[in-house]
Amino acid sequence: MQRIASLSLLWLAWLTRQLVYGSQDNGIRCRCLYGDPCWPSEADFAQLSSEISHPLIKPTPLAQPCYLAGASHAHANSSTCPTIAENWDNGTFRSGHPGAMEAPNFETFVSPSGELQACFLNTTLGAQRCEQGSVPVVGVESHTVDDIQAAVNFAVQHDLRLVIKNTGHDYLGRSSGRGAFMIWTHHMKNITVHDAFRPSGSLSGEISEHAITVQAGVQWQEAYNAANASGRMMVGGVAAGGSVGAAGGWVLGGGQSLVSPVYGLGVDNVLEFTLVLANGSHITTNAYEHPDLFWALRGGGGGTFGVVTSVTYKTYPNVPTVSASLVASVNTTQSTLSGSLAEAFTEFVRITPALTDAGWGGYVTYGPGTQGVLTYELVAIAPNASWEAANATMVPYFDYVRALADNYSSSSSAETHLTISVAETTLYPSFLSWYMDNIPETGLVGSNLNLGSWLLPRDLVETEYSRVAETLSKVPGLSFEFIAGGAVSRPSASSTGLNPAWRKALVHTIFGVAWEDGTSAAEIGEMQDTLKAMSAEVRALAPDSGAYFNEASMFEPDPPKAFFGAHYEKLKAIKKAYDPTDLFLVLEGVGSDEWDKELRCKIH
């Protein structure tokens, strides 16, 4: 009874806040941000501190130690800054700092007047000081469920803009928020391996063998190691250092993986979630308890329905895994494909359906390497495929590219000379052994980046592969990811809250624009306009398809349809049932269309 009474008091306090501070003269309801009169007092924060297991954190941009307080362009005289510079592109290092995002542009803020507020690693770039930017100013470093409950209750009581951060691997800025209050789940690292798992509320005979439960802060390298120790493997993310969170936005947005054509997406492998709701309660949701929320969490997006505290996944036996690698290059100053590489790519698009059916999943990428060279690369794996069967489907493609190289070498100028440096298949004893041998410890983070993406249906690739290849060949920095189809396409589109476009898709295409620190807001805007134009061209290949919410453009013209398709209204209704005041909001997420761009004020 005391627990119920305390929750009632919290809601009453929230209502009082709204009446006093929570609206503007025009009646629009706005959240309380740092610097507003409604911002909690020191006494309020002291009370919160007494309720949590660790001191409150005050997140700062990662480069902040490189600045001396109050000095202009000053480099701090400490050992911290060199360590930060050395680890700038280390995802594991960045995830261990509450204010660091994997793409540092989401630590920055562009004012309405176009002023860029940032904290650059290079302190000579003209910044007067290290700016807080979009990094939340204070938060709770959660180690327990009680910590999260206290933080949620505090955010409700003071009607704060709330941000949930796990690792900061995000391309929509969902882990940051200017003037916001943060819940940081990174230190919740418990892992439980189950020989047999019975979801809460299920019948006694309904048991899943060999499951694993990971808490909110577990990262994929940690999860893979735990599963492997018991002779098992998991469907999970692939990133440098294994730094992506295993129980955060990855799975809540869908969870694509190189092994998805064989084992499905992350959402297809979840048995159960636990999470803290907006009313402070900690619940379990699965196919038997709160099944509507279980449906929504599997694809409805992270940071939207509550704070996930754990996820329980199916696991699979360790099986031999065949790897395929191809690296080819031409001497050219172009950033797009033409000539021999365009032919190589067109042939690959043509055979993609057959490769997926054979159990292959992977990426084809291209982009400038060293000066004057354009590199084309294939990375793929086929788990649980025989050596003979894998070679029978992949080696003919290698032979095709070798023939192109021979033909162009004998008949073309140096500018179009095709060189193949790698074309091989390798047999590994397990997925993890391949992963450890091929995925680097660092890289692919620490750069300013905006993405575009689109899912391409199988029937499009099968019937119009030439048009697909021609369009994608003109997109600089493309990643052609054949990680759908197969097991991804087998579940009913209505089985989870995931964008239905996934169930028809064969390929996930990603591309983007990147810029150096110090680039002006106007120049960044021009690059973003270029990205919008590229996105429109790719989207036109399959206008009725959609995008993967976790790796998508911030500039989609119709975000709800693009990210959630026909499921959007149902997702929105479920959100209103469990989060009636929209405590949990992320950019472009479910319910965000009723709020302004900064998610501060409700506009509908």
Side-chain angles (χ1 to χ4, degrees):
M1 287 295 294
Q2 186 170 350
R3 174 71 174 172
I4 296 174
S6 65
L7 290 175
S8 298
L9 288 173
L10 283 171
W11 287 104
L12 180 60
W14 171 84
L15 179 60
T16 303
R17 274 288 186 197
Q18 287 303 301
L19 293 173
V20 177
Y21 298 118
S23 63
Q24 298 174 340
D25 291 341
N26 58 10
I28 296 176
R29 171 192 164 200
C30 294
R31 285 260 149 77
C32 185
L33 301 183
Y34 177 72
D36 291 344
C38 55
W39 187 251
S41 67
E42 290 186 12
D44 293 328
F45 281 114
Q47 177 60 39
L48 174 61
S49 295
S50 71
E51 300 171 3
I52 57 179
S53 64
H54 286 69
L56 288 168
I57 54 173
K58 294 185 178 180
T60 57
L62 186 59
Q64 191 274 337
C66 299
Y67 292 76
L68 291 173
S72 176
H73 314 306
H75 196 278
N77 183 19
S78 74
S79 61
T80 306
C81 189
T83 300
I84 290 170
E86 181 181 352
N87 290 280
W88 193 252
D89 67 345
N90 185 321
T92 303
F93 179 83
R94 296 186 77 93
S95 68
H97 292 259
M101 308 301 147
E102 301 300 308
N105 48 295
F106 293 114
E107 298 174 25
T108 67
F109 177 77
V110 180
S111 70
S113 63
E115 178 188 359
L116 181 65
Q117 299 179 16
C119 186
F120 299 129
L121 179 63
N122 182 348
T123 59
T124 67
L125 286 175
Q128 294 299 310
R129 59 187 181 278
C130 175
E131 299 278 4
Q132 186 74 11
S134 291
V135 176
V137 294
V138 65
V140 170
E141 177 185 306
S142 59
H143 290 247
T144 68
V145 170
D146 288 345
D147 288 341
I148 294 176
Q149 289 176 300
V152 166
N153 291 338
F154 187 80
V156 168
Q157 180 181 0
H158 298 280
D159 200 25
L160 305 180
R161 164 88 163 89
L162 178 64
V163 169
I164 305 164
K165 180 176 182 288
N166 181 346
T167 65
H169 272 277
D170 184 64
Y171 301 104
L172 289 171
R174 295 172 295 181
S175 300
S176 61
R178 182 173 174 81
F181 174 70
M182 172 186 283
I183 295 176
W184 190 35
T185 65
H186 177 71
H187 292 282
M188 299 180 71
K189 296 287 192 180
N190 287 347
I191 300 175
T192 304
V193 176
H194 311 272
D195 291 331
F197 178 79
R198 184 168 69 89
S200 177
S202 69
L203 300 176
S204 59
E206 298 180 9
I207 295 175
S208 297
E209 295 184 353
H210 303 294
I212 187 168
T213 299
V214 294
Q215 265 196 321
V218 173
Q219 293 165 276
W220 274 116
Q221 185 67 66
E222 297 161 333
Y224 289 149
N225 290 342
N228 187 69
S230 59
R232 310 291 291 183
M233 64 168 286
M234 303 175 65
V235 176
V238 174
S243 54
V244 172
W250 179 84
V251 65
L252 298 170
Q256 63 102 329
S257 172
L258 280 176
V259 301
S260 289
V262 176
Y263 299 109
L265 298 167
V267 294
D268 301 322
N269 286 277
V270 176
L271 297 171
E272 187 169 278
F273 294 98
T274 61
L275 71 161
V276 174
L277 299 178
N279 64 6
S281 62
H282 185 236
I283 68 167
T284 297
T285 176
N286 52 41
Y288 311 95
E289 296 188 349
H290 307 287
D292 56 341
L293 183 57
F294 186 56
W295 181 89
L297 288 170
R298 289 174 295 156
T304 299
F305 300 94
V307 186
V308 170
T309 55
S310 73
V311 182
T312 301
Y313 290 102
K314 302 173 187 176
T315 66
Y316 299 92
N318 273 333
V319 292
T321 297
V322 182
S323 166
S325 301
L326 171 72
V327 180
S329 60
V330 294
N331 297 322
T332 179
T333 57
Q334 294 181 172
S335 59
T336 56
L337 298 181
S338 62
S340 57
L341 284 186
E343 290 186 43
F345 182 56
T346 300
E347 175 64 8
F348 191 85
V349 175
R350 186 187 74 80
I351 67 174
T352 296
L355 292 176
T356 300
D357 291 344
W360 288 101
Y363 317 134
V364 170
T365 59
Y366 66 84
T370 55
Q371 188 172 9
V373 174
L374 182 68
T375 300
Y376 173 92
E377 184 170 0
L378 161 68
V379 175
I381 60 173
N384 207 23
S386 71
W387 176 249
E388 294 76 17
N391 281 330
T393 52
M394 185 61 76
V395 170
Y397 179 66
F398 291 169
D399 293 340
Y400 178 90
V401 180
R402 288 190 184 99
L404 287 176
D406 291 342
N407 291 336
Y408 275 85
S409 295
S410 61
S411 63
S412 302
S413 65
E415 284 74 21
T416 57
H417 182 76
L418 175 62
T419 301
I420 299 173
S421 54
V422 178
E424 63 185 17
T425 59
T426 307
L427 179 63
Y428 287 89
S430 67
F431 164 75
L432 185 61
S433 61
W434 169 83
Y435 184 92
M436 297 300 292
D437 197 37
N438 289 272
I439 304 302
E441 285 295 315
T442 62
L444 304 179
V445 300
S447 298
N448 303 304
L449 181 67
N450 280 157
L451 290 184
S453 73
W454 203 244
L455 294 165
L456 301 184
R458 180 178 181 125
D459 59 0
L460 172 72
V461 177
E462 287 181 324
T463 60
E464 300 187 62
Y465 70 86
S466 293
R467 182 166 75 98
V468 170
E470 182 180 5
T471 299
L472 298 182
S473 293
K474 299 174 183 177
V475 179
L478 179 82
S479 181
F480 179 88
E481 305 193 346
F482 49 108
I483 43 74
V488 176
S489 64
R490 292 181 196 128
S492 165
S494 62
S495 62
T496 68
L498 181 72
N499 189 340
W502 267 108
R503 304 307 182 184
K504 295 181 179 180
L506 185 71
V507 173
H508 171 42
T509 59
I510 310 178
F511 41 93
V513 293
W515 59 91
E516 298 291 333
D517 283 349
T519 303
S520 70
E523 291 174 297
I524 295 171
E526 291 176 2
M527 285 186 281
Q528 290 171 340
D529 288 341
T530 299
L531 177 63
K532 294 174 189 177
M534 290 192 297
S535 296
E537 293 178 6
V538 176
R539 194 188 304 109
L541 288 169
D544 294 328
S545 186
Y548 177 33
F549 187 46
N550 287 346
E551 297 172 351
S553 172
M554 299 174 64
F555 313 108
E556 281 297 335
D558 186 6
K561 180 182 177 182
F563 301 143
F564 308 106
H567 288 164
Y568 185 66
E569 292 304 322
K570 182 177 178 180
L571 288 167
K572 199 169 182 179
I574 294 170
K575 176 174 173 58
K576 286 188 180 298
Y578 288 92
D579 182 21
T581 64
D582 285 341
L583 176 66
F584 303 111
L585 286 172
V586 296
L587 185 67
E588 309 290 24
V590 175
S592 65
D593 52 332
E594 298 183 358
W595 292 71
D596 64 13
K597 185 177 179 181
E598 292 186 40
L599 303 180
R600 181 183 186 185
C601 297
K602 192 164 186 176
I603 56 178
H604 295 299

